[in-house]
Amino acid sequence: MVVDLRSDTVTRPTAGMREAMLYAPVGDDVYGEDPTVNELESYAARLFGVEAALFCTSGTMSNQIAIRAQTQPNDEVICDRLSHIYLYEGGGLASNSLVSVRLLEGDRGRLTAGQIAAHINPDDVHFPVTRLVSLENTVNKGGGVYYELEEIRKIKEVCVAHGLKLHLDGARLFNAMVAQGSQPQDFGQLFDSISVCLSKGLGCPVGSLLLGSKELIRKARRIRKVMGGGWRQAGMLAAAGLYALQHHVERLQEDHRRAKILGELLRAHPDVKEVYPVQTNIVIAELHAPLTARIWQAALQEHGILISTFGERAIRMVTHLDIHDAHIERVSEVLPRFSIQKEHK
């Protein structure tokens, strides 16, 4: 048995999703003629209570489009130092939008309204113009933690008071919703732009959505084209997105339940120094020195358990729709059998 906990991006379409993809009507989306893409975008916009949506190839693309559409060269974007838009999008903020970044130190990637208010630049030619605030929910590098809605409302108030746009990198936003009992429209009314991945916990083979006003999506469609992101007969991929939004959201609570079990197993292991609090489907653990994450990764791989390294001493496990109770039982059998720390003493 192979237990692939590296990421929720490794999922494969379910049988129902494959059937939906097989029979999806298609057309040329660059001409606006793919009926399934149009249906997905309309459905998502209604779901979040916003005016429009745009189907993109990836969360990186939808994030980068949103930032470019709402900034000018020499502007500044405020985000946490753990943000995906800063760490894992290939320097796109600089190359796509020509903006600088104000990195803040939040609570495992979550910023507060007070922090943001204290770092908005004054109207001074020496400084870039603070233009946009970007939040990530859930925070990947923070162990899948999510923002409380009340704090987001306070951040929105700061943005409105200072004329700033507010963007949400919601790669795992539905995980946050299921965990805290919130609804898509709770977020739709607070953000100027939202990026939502369909290819992580929701289980699609590819794709993300950018949500916002009609004017934003009009600009975004042009930027997507410039980036080479114009779809042709993309309806089969859009059908997977529709199926996921309609069938795969509530089941995320099963991923969260299994992640908590993994967290407890790691917390009891002698090699583990600390396990971040587990709120959703991501489990991050720090190992005791001098152990390294790569040593642990290799040891578990010998038992058919695949994980990710998250720095020198941190490991990450992510549950998803292809991880079942039998996989968790396999991990619970393997973990107590070895302690690399004891073996090296």
Side-chain angles (χ1 to χ4, degrees):
M1 177 187 292
V2 175
V3 184
D4 196 341
L5 297 164
R6 290 173 298 170
S7 177
D8 46 9
T9 62
V10 302
T11 60
R12 283 166 287 192
T14 61
M17 183 179 287
R18 288 176 185 270
E19 184 175 9
M21 296 170 70
L22 179 63
Y23 294 107
V26 299
D28 191 320
D29 182 57
V30 173
Y31 287 121
E33 295 175 355
D34 191 300
T36 312
V37 171
N38 293 341
E39 183 182 357
L40 171 63
E41 292 173 345
S42 296
Y43 180 88
R46 292 194 305 272
L47 189 66
F48 280 83
V50 299
E51 291 181 338
L54 181 68
F55 188 33
C56 299
T57 58
S58 68
T60 294
M61 175 177 277
S62 51
N63 279 332
Q64 292 298 316
I65 290 173
I67 293 164
R68 182 167 173 179
Q70 297 177 100
T71 61
Q72 296 292 326
N74 302 323
D75 284 347
E76 186 167 84
V77 174
I78 293 176
C79 65
D80 188 272
R81 68 177 183 86
L82 299 181
S83 294
H84 192 279
I85 64 165
Y86 173 71
L87 291 176
Y88 297 122
E89 298 189 4
L93 291 169
S95 63
N96 293 320
S97 300
L98 303 177
V99 295
S100 61
V101 186
R102 176 65 66 91
L103 297 177
L104 304 184
E105 179 88 33
D107 172 22
R108 286 189 292 148
R110 295 169 296 185
L111 302 178
T112 66
Q115 279 182 296
I116 292 167
H119 290 89
I120 297 171
N121 288 331
D123 185 8
D124 186 316
V125 295
H126 295 90
F127 305 119
V129 177
T130 305
R131 187 75 67 186
L132 181 141
V133 174
S134 179
L135 309 181
E136 185 176 330
N137 198 22
T138 66
V139 185
N140 177 26
K141 288 281 284 187
V145 295
Y146 55 80
Y147 276 86
E148 296 294 339
L149 276 170
E150 186 54 37
E151 189 60 44
I152 297 177
R153 293 188 182 101
K154 293 176 182 177
I155 291 172
K156 177 65 172 180
E157 291 173 1
V158 169
C159 290
V160 170
H162 291 85
L164 308 181
K165 297 295 185 180
L166 184 59
H167 172 67
L168 177 61
D169 175 3
R172 296 178 174 89
L173 180 57
F174 282 97
N175 291 92
M177 292 182 197
V178 168
Q180 69 183 173
S182 54
Q183 300 299 320
Q185 292 195 10
D186 295 330
F187 297 90
Q189 64 187 0
L190 290 171
F191 289 89
D192 296 289
S193 55
I194 300 175
S195 168
V196 177
C197 283
L198 302 171
S199 60
K200 292 187 171 68
L202 296 182
C204 292
V206 67
S208 289
L209 290 161
L210 178 61
L211 302 122
S213 67
K214 288 182 180 178
E215 178 60 19
L216 172 72
I217 299 304
R218 185 189 68 80
K219 291 181 181 179
R221 194 174 295 276
R222 178 178 290 273
I223 296 168
R224 187 188 67 171
K225 179 64 176 174
V226 172
M227 290 183 173
W231 301 95
R232 294 302 178 179
Q233 290 72 33
M236 286 181 286
L237 296 174
L242 273 169
Y243 186 91
L245 290 174
Q246 294 167 355
H247 297 90
H248 286 178
V249 173
E250 290 304 318
R251 61 148 305 280
L252 291 172
Q253 61 189 329
E254 290 299 305
D255 297 344
H256 300 173
R257 177 181 63 81
R258 294 181 178 115
K260 286 179 171 61
I261 296 173
L262 290 176
E264 291 303 316
L265 290 170
L266 289 169
R267 196 169 284 113
H269 199 283
D271 288 359
V272 175
K273 178 182 178 181
E274 178 188 3
V275 178
Y276 291 9
V278 181
Q279 289 190 334
T280 53
N281 69 321
I282 298 176
V283 185
I284 295 180
E286 292 187 14
L287 305 174
H288 287 291
L291 296 179
T292 67
R294 292 201 178 277
I295 289 176
W296 245 63
Q297 183 185 46
L300 286 177
Q301 188 168 350
E302 290 180 2
H303 295 277
I305 299 171
L306 308 181
I307 64 170
S308 295
T309 60
F310 244 40
E312 184 180 7
R313 302 198 196 287
I315 62 167
R316 186 187 73 165
M317 297 180 177
V318 185
T319 54
H320 49 80
L321 60 77
D322 286 333
I323 294 294
H324 306 294
D325 287 342
H327 297 107
I328 303 302
E329 290 171 9
R330 174 60 178 163
V331 177
S332 69
E333 293 170 357
V334 169
L335 278 184
R337 292 181 187 174
F338 74 95
S339 171
I340 299 173
Q341 183 172 241
K342 289 181 180 178
E343 291 171 6
H344 283 73
K345 283 186 176 179

